[in-house]
Amino acid sequence: METVIETVFRLESPRIIAAVTRTVRDIGIAEELAQDALVAALEQWPRDGVPDNPAAWLMTTARHRAVDLIRRRETYARKLREIGRDLETTVSPTEPPTPDDIDDDLLRLVFTACHPVLSAEARIALTLRLLGGLTTPEIARAFLVPEPTVAQRIVRAKRTLATKNVAFEVPYGPQREARLGSVLEVIYLIFNEGYAATAGDDWLRPALCEDALRLARVLSGLMPKEPEVHALTALLELQASRSAARTGPTGEPVLLKDQNRSRWNRMLIARGFTALARAEAAGATTSTSGPGPYTLQATIAACHAHAPSYDATDWPRIAALYAALAARSPSPVVELNRAVAVSMSEGPTEALQIIDTLTTNPALRDYHLLPSVRADLLQRLGRRAEARAEFLRAAELTQNERERDLLRTRARECAP
């Protein structure tokens, strides 16, 4: 019974917290009230049985506790006028809340948890806690940081939102566009950490990929007219489709060119194509500046998904898409990826020229993939000693043990 209750709560807690936040205007208090509802379920359900609609029961219980809290406050009269007289007659435990109201509140919670006033680390921790349903220990394990550090980030994030009087709302116009970028960035960062872990003993962390993908799917359902929301969902679906082929029998990384494409998940690929089509359709009616950065990245991922093999990939198109992405969102990492595509479409010499312009970029000074890509190009050009030195340098820079082993293996392959 306890497992059933906790499972239901984990699935429904984001919507409960979102709905209660609309009432109490404080994410921290809303989370506490949602936890109170969980405790009530743990006490009552084993005795009285699981209600016909457990999600509605939890929602209503949390809302009742929110009303009780407001009534206990000295400012109850003022608060009551602000939130409306409907609080006097909350729904019965068996009546589910209005779906549209829940979705609106959930969208507000997404934008609040990812508010730019918070640091990237705080946004990630708070998003995983409130929207992903992860506990503090789970978040700490996922990002290899101490539990107290995660707990402090979450507490500080809630305090910052309260002290800064961040409104529980979905912004509109230019503010919405700016805030949406923060929301998408957080989901993308969570996925990337699961897709290629920056540190630790594991190359993949599937649970993080699944959490990010679930958040992207929820967001695309809540914001069906936003092309970049669908594009991010498409990108994550297509990237996730390769997960089973990205590691070998003992968990070692398998490079894209060596992956067994029959192990790519065709269902996720189909979902990715569908989401990309939605992004393109939405962009055709709303965008005046061409495809956005996530649409371009999803299109690149679709090129890989369409290709029957690494060599048969449409590398000239991918190089052109990276050039468009660099023009839209300039970044040395994008240039690095463009160099890889150029190496396949035009040759390693042309790509090495691009790479050499990046070696003095301070943003890539400690980025292990720069010497890794450069080593690969040098190896293809027959400059084995130089390639070996670059592979070893890349191995020193990475904090992921699996990736370090792969780079050292490639360095040994370049030995005379």
Side-chain angles (χ1 to χ4, degrees), residues 178-223:
R179 291 268 292 278
L180 180 59
S182 174
V183 171
L184 299 181
E185 179 189 26
V186 166
I187 296 175
Y188 190 41
L189 287 172
I190 293 170
F191 181 87
N192 281 345
E193 183 58 31
Y195 192 69
T198 55
D201 298 328
D202 297 317
W203 174 237
L204 296 178
R205 296 198 181 117
L208 279 180
C209 291
E210 292 167 5
D211 284 325
L213 190 49
R214 179 163 54 85
L215 291 173
R217 289 169 179 167
V218 168
L219 194 61
S220 65
L222 296 174
M223 305 183 70

Side-chain angles (χ1 to χ4, degrees), residues 20-43:
V20 175
T21 300
R22 176 156 57 95
T23 299
V24 299
R25 303 296 181 186
D26 187 302
I27 284 179
I29 294 175
E31 187 181 12
E32 292 175 5
L33 293 171
Q35 290 288 340
D36 286 346
L38 171 62
V39 172
L42 290 170
E43 292 173 349

Side-chain angles (χ1 to χ4, degrees), residues 317-377:
R317 186 179 184 219
I318 291 179
L321 287 166
Y322 271 121
L325 181 60
R328 180 69 185 264
S329 302
S331 160
V333 174
V334 171
E335 277 297 290
L336 182 62
N337 288 326
R338 184 173 76 87
V340 174
V342 168
S343 76
M344 296 301 299
S345 60
E346 301 178 32
T349 300
E350 291 76 4
L352 191 60
Q353 293 174 359
I354 300 173
I355 293 294
D356 287 343
T357 66
L358 300 174
T359 55
T360 58
N361 191 308
L364 299 180
R365 182 179 59 187
D366 298 321
Y367 190 53
H368 69 283
L369 290 181
L370 177 60
S372 175
V373 171
R374 191 169 190 274
D376 184 74
L377 298 176

